[in-house]
Amino acid sequence: MQKKLIALALASLAGSAFAQSNVTIYGVADATYDFVGARQSTAATKIANDGRVSANSSYLGFKGAEDLGNGLKAVFQFETGITNDASNSAAYQGGVNASPSNTMFGGIRDTYVGVGGGFGTVVAGNLTAAARALGAKVDVNSGATGVGYQGALYGRLGGARTGVDDRTGNAIAYVSPNFAGFSGMVAWGAGSEQRDTVARTDNVYSLGLNYENGPAYVGYAYTQVAGKALGGADTKAVSNRVGGYFKFGTAQVGALYDRTDADTNTSNNRRNVWLLNGKVGVGAGNVIAGYGKAGKVDGLGNTAAKHYFVGYEHSLSKRTILKAVYAEVKNDSAATYNFYNAATGEVQNLVAGQDPRSISLGIRHSF
């Protein structure tokens, strides 16, 4: 996820001028064998251990820029997820692999067009907004993906996905230039056109503030996601998130705090998440580890959870790593937290109180 909106927009301004439009092809091929299952300490029910291959946010992209003169540039990016194995769809459970309808493309990722200059960059399309970018920035798993990804906690509330960490569709964003390490962004997602006839996510508002200088980074993100179920109640999730890290030598330590409020017409639920993580250089790679805790949802008992992981990423080159990770989510009896990535990461058919766990072995290549 290192190709995200903020980094790309700032980099497009910092580069040398282009005489004509230039296109770069880039991407990631990531595949792991995950030995997954779920256990429940308070009952005999469990999901038996089973194997799968996961694509872990593999993607293919095209990006470029054109010098427009007078200090202006046109920028664009098209990016799609790649499904390099289809056996982890929701239909897959217990060794049954339904034939997939699409084995290549896994859905639109950061895709936009815009213009930049000394004033900053303005883009429109399908975008990574501030909360998602901050979570990925602090994460120590390469690509901020896989079973170790700590969005397993802060991207959910009681177990249900909040939408705060999803990409923002039908969006417009402004990204500021870098001022002595300070930068910011604001984004708005227009949501669905058919407001009264379909379930929708509407009116996404996002604000991000960042400071990065040398070994230190700190960021703040505010995100509001409003929606409406078809024929149901209005919903709104609001996230306030702060995080950062510090690097020293071959080591890095980081932390993140997220408070999310989820409102409907009849209820208001809140939960707090905090996490710690770190990595240290060992041999030709890094040992990575992290621990996080989601507090109980206000007014709902036994809805807390913990997530922890430990692993090693071994660099074969600057672009290729081998990785091994163990991760587990420990749910209270009424919680359903799961690994974050839908279909390719979650343990399917999880029920309240079960604890997803996985040993993951794989390879990641960037190009």
Side-chain angles (χ1 to χ4, degrees), residues 4-359:
K4 296 305 174 196
L5 172 63
I6 295 176
L8 176 63
L10 295 177
S12 71
L13 297 180
S16 59
F18 293 88
Q20 58 184 355
S21 180
N22 290 262
V23 178
T24 299
I25 301 174
Y26 66 92
V28 165
D30 188 317
T32 55
Y33 181 82
D34 305 331
F35 191 63
V36 298
R39 59 187 176 188
Q40 190 167 7
S41 58
T42 59
T45 60
K46 68 177 183 178
I47 295 175
N49 295 331
D50 205 350
R52 68 186 190 191
V53 174
S54 296
N56 298 313
S57 302
S58 296
Y59 59 87
L60 175 67
F62 305 84
K63 64 180 178 180
E66 181 186 15
D67 184 7
L68 302 175
N70 299 316
L72 294 179
K73 290 181 182 179
V75 296
F76 73 91
Q77 177 172 298
F78 293 90
E79 192 175 284
T80 180
I82 298 295
T83 305
N84 51 24
D85 183 85
S87 63
N88 300 322
S89 65
Y92 176 79
Q93 179 61 37
V96 177
N97 183 8
S99 297
S101 59
N102 188 332
T103 59
M104 178 63 176
F105 297 106
I108 186 172
R109 290 170 55 96
D110 284 29
T111 298
Y112 55 81
V113 65
V115 64
F119 60 89
T121 303
V122 177
V123 293
N126 194 65
L127 309 174
T128 287
R132 182 184 178 94
L134 175 56
K137 182 82 170 178
V138 175
D139 203 273
V140 295
N141 296 271
S142 290
T145 189
V147 295
Y149 174 49
Q150 292 182 290
L153 293 186
Y154 61 72
R156 298 176 180 269
L157 191 150
R161 294 162 66 97
T162 65
V164 168
D165 287 87
D166 294 340
R167 289 181 176 84
T168 303
N170 294 324
I172 299 173
Y174 165 75
V175 183
S176 79
N178 190 303
F179 300 102
F182 291 94
S183 63
M185 71 165 296
V186 291
W188 172 64
S192 171
E193 297 177 1
Q194 297 174 292
R195 294 171 179 263
D196 299 319
T197 59
V198 297
R200 71 176 193 267
T201 296
D202 229 349
N203 297 326
V204 178
Y205 300 96
S206 177
L207 167 68
L209 301 172
N210 301 275
Y211 175 74
E212 187 168 12
N213 189 3
Y217 165 78
V218 63
Y220 166 77
Y222 169 87
T223 304
Q224 174 182 297
V225 180
K228 184 180 182 66
L230 182 59
D234 292 330
T235 62
K236 181 173 71 175
V238 176
S239 166
N240 283 277
R241 183 175 298 175
V242 61
Y245 59 72
F246 186 81
K247 298 178 180 179
F248 49 97
T250 63
Q252 173 183 312
V253 293
L256 183 143
Y257 169 80
D258 178 272
R259 176 186 176 93
T260 295
D261 295 61
D263 300 331
T264 67
N265 291 345
T266 59
S267 66
N268 179 280
N269 297 317
R270 302 178 179 87
R271 70 99 182 92
N272 298 307
V273 168
W274 63 266
L275 63 86
L276 299 171
N277 61 36
K279 63 181 179 180
V280 60
V282 176
N286 293 291
V287 173
I288 60 174
Y291 174 84
K293 182 176 181 179
K296 75 177 184 68
V297 179
D298 285 359
L300 299 175
N302 301 313
T303 51
K306 302 179 182 68
H307 172 262
Y308 58 88
F309 71 93
V310 62
Y312 179 69
E313 298 183 340
H314 179 80
S315 299
L316 296 176
S317 70
K318 290 183 178 180
R319 295 179 297 172
T320 304
I321 64 170
L322 299 176
K323 52 184 178 177
V325 176
Y326 175 80
E328 183 166 355
V329 176
K330 296 188 71 66
N331 281 306
D332 282 358
S333 59
T336 55
Y337 285 88
N338 206 332
F339 301 129
Y340 182 75
N341 297 327
T344 61
E346 295 178 344
V347 174
Q348 300 296 326
N349 300 327
L350 192 76
V351 300
Q354 288 181 329
D355 300 333
R357 54 181 175 172
S358 175
I359 297 174

